[in-house]
Amino acid sequence: FGHYAMLDGIYLDVHSIIPQWTGKFYLNIIITRMPTNEKIKQFIDPAKDIEHEVNHLKWLIEHIDENPDYIENSMNYNVGSCKLRDLDKSIEFEVKKIFVMEIPNLISDFAMGQNEMFSYDRGTVTKVAIAKEDDFLRYQVGYYLAELHDRYIKRFPENEDQITNKFKREVNKQGERIFGENCLMLLLLSMMEFHSVLEAEGIRYEIGDI
């Protein structure tokens, strides 16, 4: 909800075109959409959304430069196509990606004044502005991780215990440097806190289907 732009990409074998190139070539694509719901347009800032994705691209390119195995790992371990045998490796890959590439982008967003968060439920959007950067980071990262966890559960419902246990270990490991010990518990409490803030301070808009 609310996203005007999204960063995606495809992997190409370009050796037949560029003989000097070895390995897969990652072609980045920024996708934009045309919202059909007029009421939703008030929540979208195309320029800032595109800048957000361009910043994502910057962090991604830097990460690939520092980690040449990223492309192959992305192909094998992304949540959308990983095999059950690679479930633990996939969770390690996807959780690390959030902490390495999402957090710098969220810090940049907040510095640019993009401090609003939204919730959509049964035709109603609730918007709230978050005043502190630390709160903004905790709330956003908590939601990213919750959504990621749900995607794994939907793909591998019979492996819920394995997914949850691995998630806990990996989030605590990757998040300790930024959020301290027991990172997962902190982020779960942050999500509860966000709902309280949303209920108390949020502004509600009736917009219908999005």
Side-chain angles (χ1 to χ4, degrees):
F1 162 71
H3 295 293
Y4 170 81
M6 179 181 75
L7 180 67
D8 206 341
I10 57 176
Y11 298 106
L12 302 173
D13 182 355
V14 298
H15 180 71
S16 60
I17 305 171
I18 309 172
Q20 297 86 349
W21 189 271
T22 58
K24 296 293 182 181
F25 182 87
Y26 182 60
L27 177 64
N28 301 285
I29 303 169
I30 293 181
I31 301 168
T32 60
R33 73 171 184 175
M34 296 294 292
T36 56
N37 184 329
E38 290 295 324
K39 293 181 180 178
I40 205 176
K41 291 181 179 179
Q42 63 183 305
F43 305 110
I44 297 174
D45 186 330
K48 286 184 177 179
D49 282 355
I50 291 175
E51 185 169 0
H52 173 93
E53 300 306 329
V54 170
N55 283 335
H56 253 313
L57 181 56
K58 170 181 176 292
W59 293 111
L60 177 59
I61 291 172
E62 288 182 2
H63 188 70
I64 291 174
D65 284 344
E66 295 172 2
N67 302 270
D69 60 345
Y70 175 87
I71 292 178
E72 182 176 355
N73 288 340
S74 178
M75 294 173 66
N76 293 330
Y77 303 139
N78 75 83
V79 63
S81 60
C82 73
K83 302 293 191 297
L84 179 58
R85 66 176 182 269
D86 295 324
L87 184 54
D88 281 2
K89 291 181 180 179
S90 176
I91 292 172
E92 290 176 16
F93 174 80
E94 292 285 7
V95 169
K96 182 177 181 180
K97 192 164 65 174
I98 288 176
F99 283 101
V100 169
M101 284 184 277
E102 289 291 350
I103 287 183
N105 225 33
L106 291 171
I107 292 172
S108 176
D109 285 348
F110 192 86
M112 291 191 300
Q114 291 182 268
N115 65 331
E116 293 178 338
M117 293 185 64
F118 301 88
S119 175
Y120 177 79
D121 182 45
R122 290 172 292 186
T124 301
V125 168
T126 306
K127 179 179 75 171
V128 63
I130 309 300
K132 297 180 179 179
E133 181 185 276
D134 178 65
D135 293 340
F136 182 74
L137 290 179
R138 287 187 291 110
Y139 300 161
Q140 291 279 24
V141 172
Y143 266 97
Y144 284 153
L145 290 168
E147 290 175 355
L148 180 62
H149 181 269
D150 286 348
R151 289 184 67 189
Y152 278 109
I153 297 297
K154 288 176 181 177
R155 279 211 67 202
F156 304 105
E158 296 180 358
N159 298 82
E160 183 171 354
D161 288 344
Q162 178 186 354
I163 291 168
T164 299
N165 290 334
K166 180 60 178 177
F167 236 83
K168 179 180 179 180
R169 294 194 301 272
E170 201 60 31
V171 170
N172 286 338
K173 174 184 173 182
Q174 296 292 338
E176 182 176 4
R177 179 179 60 84
I178 298 169
F179 296 114
E181 295 182 356
N182 298 318
C183 176
L184 182 61
M185 181 59 67
L186 170 69
L187 294 176
L188 289 173
L189 292 173
S190 295
M191 292 179 66
M192 296 172 62
E193 178 185 319
F194 171 67
H195 281 291
S196 297
V197 172
L198 198 68
E199 185 67 27
E201 304 176 15
I203 303 172
R204 290 164 180 79
Y205 304 83
E206 297 294 330
I207 68 166
D209 293 335
I210 58 173

